Amino acid sequence: MTGGLAAPPALSEAVVATFLKSAYGLEGELLTLSGERDLNHLVTLGDERWVLKIAGPDEDHGHLNLQVSALRHLEKTAPELPLPRVRASLAGKDLEVLIDAEGRPCPARLVTYLPGRPIGAVPRATALLSGLGGFLAQLDRALAGFFHPAARPDLLWDVAQAPRLRPALERASDPDIRGLLIGVLDRAEAHVLPKLGHLRAQLIHMDATLDNVLVDAAAPERLAGLIDFGDMMHQPLVLEPALAGAELMLGAEDPLACLRDLVLGYDQVERLTEPEIEMVAELAALRLASTSLIVLGGHLGPLDETAVSRELTALETLERAGTASVTADLKAALHLPSAQTKLFQRRRKVTAPAYEHFYREPLHLVRGKGALVFDRAGRSYIDAYNNVPHVGHSHPRVVNAMLRQAERININTRYLTDSMVAYAERLTASLPPELSQCLFLSSGSEANDVAWRMAWAATGAKGALVMEGAYHGVTDLVARLSPCGLVQGEDDPPYLRRILAPYPLRAADRDPAAEAERALASIDQAIASLQESGQGVAGLMIDLGLTNNGVLDLPQGYLVEAVRRVKAAGGLFIADEVQAGFGRSGDSFWRFQPEGVTPDVVTMGKAIGNGIPLAVAVARDAVARAFSDKFYFFSSMGGNPVCCAAGLAVLDCLEEEGLQQHAQRLGTRLRAELLSLTHPLIAEVRGQGLLLGVELIKDGRSASVEAKALVERMREKGVLIGTEGPDGNVIKIRPPMVLSSDQAERILDAFDESLRSLA
Ligand code: PMP
């Protein structure tokens, strides 16, 4: 491969002067200029200044011929652009030959000298960079109709050949840098290079570097020209602004702004297509990586890692921002809808308006691992919101268990299958012995739905006690028994009684014991009212995390007393453990356990399948029997072997990875650290284990607007979190159970910083 180290020919000044006279008839003053591959002389003749460029005997004559032909073409198509102009020899040739001492022919050409300072020596003002972008676009337009058979030289700088530079990776001594370069090359091979063939291509300059672009010495905001046509190549057009943009990032204060300014300037003259825009950031990254590897590989001289520090810094900036998000910024600046916006628009067309989305700008997630999720741009976020991926996003053990079972058979529960029985045995073993009868479903809502029907069947009564503000699911039955979405009085079914959610912070006396008493009194009232109306008391259902209420703490002794009163009235206690169960609370596997009560039915969902639809209602024997006597029951999907295999794997992960204990330790620390934050907006820290709530209050009022803004800021800092509670002013921290200490620290830092920035 060529294009690397090719020393200029060694010729004495006398030889050069003789040649200049014989070939061009010129007798000027000679001054040697620097040159990578050519021996360059400034020739001064009165007012006229020329550059005599003599290449070595090994240079590619075809490409030199291309260069002078292209310059001749540009003389006609772009006479207004400040570019070198070729002067023909006395023999009328644009490319002459000088014979060196060893008798070898050295190709030579004479071009006009362009005065000016290299752009690298002046500040990178937006106008200058966008002017350069526009200049390059004009140049490329002027070259559009030009063709030459030597337009595909074998140059190291050909990005399409970048994979050839891989051997140089070994010479990067810093593993982080190696990783950075490997990442770019991998992406290039997988996603970038295969697309280049679809883009419009032509001969382009390909070398608008900090040295080759000249600005007016007296007025550095004005472009004075572009030199060095030695890297010209037939390439995708978009490579021109991408490479120039990458070069202008070097040593810049705001490298990404430089890239953007240049590309926008180019686009103003020559409209780039969307697929071209989508390539810009990746090609810039590839150029920076290629240059680094060319230097590391020793192609430009002895290995010098510091020589590429500017390239690596620029590349790091680009990679940290994420090429996809740089692309999104470019598209936004060019008013092109981002892929995310397009997806959102498509989604809106085909989904009911009931579909909400988090964040002002919807977040498009494509991958998850542990407590991390990744967006389309490859940016990672710590997931402090999602409890469904209980043992971590896409846990390989769960995925594999499910896949293995799916490959064999997936069938309904009217046949015998191993995993359903094994799962029911494992699940009931985690519960008090009275809770022995499982009913399998696909969602928490269905489990709660069935639990109510069990209560109705077992008690013969209809009356339902549910906490004010609670959410229990989406079926018709449980939606009617989820006060959070109902207008009291209007929507409430006649058999529903709302009971007070104990919320000391909102009580005038703020006294938890007194609040517990008031909450219990509301149960007494509800029972009396139901009995009076003839509905009787079928049951009490409580989400033991009091999640939807704003992650409230269960007051000490409240639950045992509440259950006692309901039982005394003939009702059942249904523990909705969809949120709080499965070790999340840390102290116990089930949240009801430390409260000293044994429910009649426990419902669970979400976490137990780690995202695979699996939900169970586990009941006492008599309750399950009453239900079975009264209702026909079959769930096509509930308890199928694939879902149960996933459920078994989740249990394995929980046990083997000690996740309940982890939630206990990490949750305790997180809570303590949250409590230690002394921000005026923080009114209360609640919850336990890895289900925590932080209530924000400003000037005595729910700080709902601030909570919303905080969620957005935390997203910007790479943390996904949500709001909860009747006013949406409670920040809910409810991550996958595999959240690490480091990640917890980062959540805290982001929370703290975001709160401060709101103030
Ligand atoms: N119960 C509680 C306490 C819940 O939080 C939810 C869901 N957020 C459900 C039941 C319903 O579960 P699913 O969405 O799986 O139907």
Side-chain angles (χ1 to χ4, degrees), residues 36 43 84 117 282 296 301 322 327 339 342 354 363 378 520 571 604 642 651 695 709 724 739 745 755:
E36 257 176 46
V43 182
R117 288 178 78 189
E282 284 295 349
L296 290 174
T327 306
K342 283 194 210 154
L363 182 57
L520 289 171
M604 61 202 76
V642 169
L651 282 170
E695 180 149 0
E724 195 53 281
L739 186 82
E745 283 303 323
L755 266 180

Side-chain angles (χ1 to χ4, degrees), residues 17 67 142 216 294 318 458 618 684 714 741 757:
Q67 290 175 41
D216 192 313
I294 288 170
L318 194 52
V618 189
E684 195 168 57
M714 289 190 69
S741 310
S757 72

Side-chain angles (χ1 to χ4, degrees), residues 3-6 36-37 156-157 291 294-303:
L5 201 59
E36 257 176 46
R37 294 205 295 254
L156 271 179
W157 302 105
T291 309
I294 288 170
V295 172
L296 290 174
H299 297 286
L300 298 183
L303 173 61

